[in-house]
């Protein structure tokens, strides 16, 4: 189900546990590419070291509202809403940076948060 398809060729779909390998790839490539100008190699390696914690990813899917951005059947970004209104994660695949994907995720998460307000 495409929740918001405001950008050409992108779908925003709620994540499933079967998406975890793709989320990890987005996380790792995004950090490797986007963070290299702002963090030391050691800091990036420490951050990347958290990616292989399977329990962490399962807990993310179970406890948060997680959206994926899919282009040509590939997850190119994701974000999560913790509780009703706390944006916890937004990551974009390293090969898809600066294409508006993070903004698309942010807008969808904000829309979701507003819909959950009392």
């Amino acid at each position: 189900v495409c929740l918001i398809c405001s950008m050409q060729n992108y779908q925003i779909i709620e994540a499933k546990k079967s998406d975890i390998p793709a989320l990890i790839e987005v996380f790792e490539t995004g950090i490797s590419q986007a963070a290299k100008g702002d963090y030391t190699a050691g800091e990036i390696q420490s951050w990347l070291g958290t990616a292989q914690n399977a329990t962490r990813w399962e807990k993310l899917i179970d406890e948060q509202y997680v959206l994926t951005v899919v282009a040509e059947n590939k997850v190119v970004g994701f974000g999560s809403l913790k509780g009703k209104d706390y944006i916890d994660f937004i990551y974009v695949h390293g090969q898809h940076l600066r294409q508006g994907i993070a903004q698309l995720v942010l807008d969808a998460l904000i829309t979701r948060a507003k819909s959950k307000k009392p």
Side-chain angles (χ1 to χ4, degrees):
V1 174
C2 180
L3 300 174
I4 297 175
C5 296
S6 63
M7 293 184 68
Q8 196 174 48
N9 301 321
Y10 292 113
Q11 289 184 312
I12 298 184
I13 304 168
E14 189 168 348
K16 307 173 295 296
K17 284 188 179 177
S18 61
D19 293 321
I20 290 173
L23 299 180
I24 292 170
E25 180 181 345
V26 169
F27 178 82
E28 290 178 332
T29 63
I31 290 168
S32 295
Q33 293 300 309
K36 64 185 174 186
D38 299 311
Y39 296 90
T40 67
E43 289 169 328
I44 290 171
Q45 285 307 103
S46 290
W47 198 357
L48 290 173
T50 67
Q52 298 309 313
N53 181 342
T55 303
R56 172 188 187 218
W57 293 101
E58 289 177 10
K59 189 175 178 180
L60 175 69
I61 299 291
D62 288 341
E63 296 179 3
Q64 296 189 33
Y65 178 72
V66 182
L67 292 177
T68 61
V69 178
V70 178
E72 298 178 8
N73 297 316
K74 180 178 179 175
V75 175
V76 296
F78 73 93
S80 72
L81 190 63
K82 186 175 185 177
K84 292 181 182 178
D85 59 4
Y86 180 82
I87 295 172
D88 196 17
F89 289 99
I90 294 182
Y91 287 95
V92 175
H93 194 286
Q95 294 176 345
H96 297 272
L97 299 173
R98 298 185 190 356
Q99 296 176 15
I101 295 168
Q103 186 66 55
L104 188 63
V105 172
L106 178 63
D107 291 345
L109 292 174
I110 289 171
T111 298
R112 171 70 179 210
K114 286 180 179 178
S115 76
K116 296 299 178 186
K117 290 285 185 185

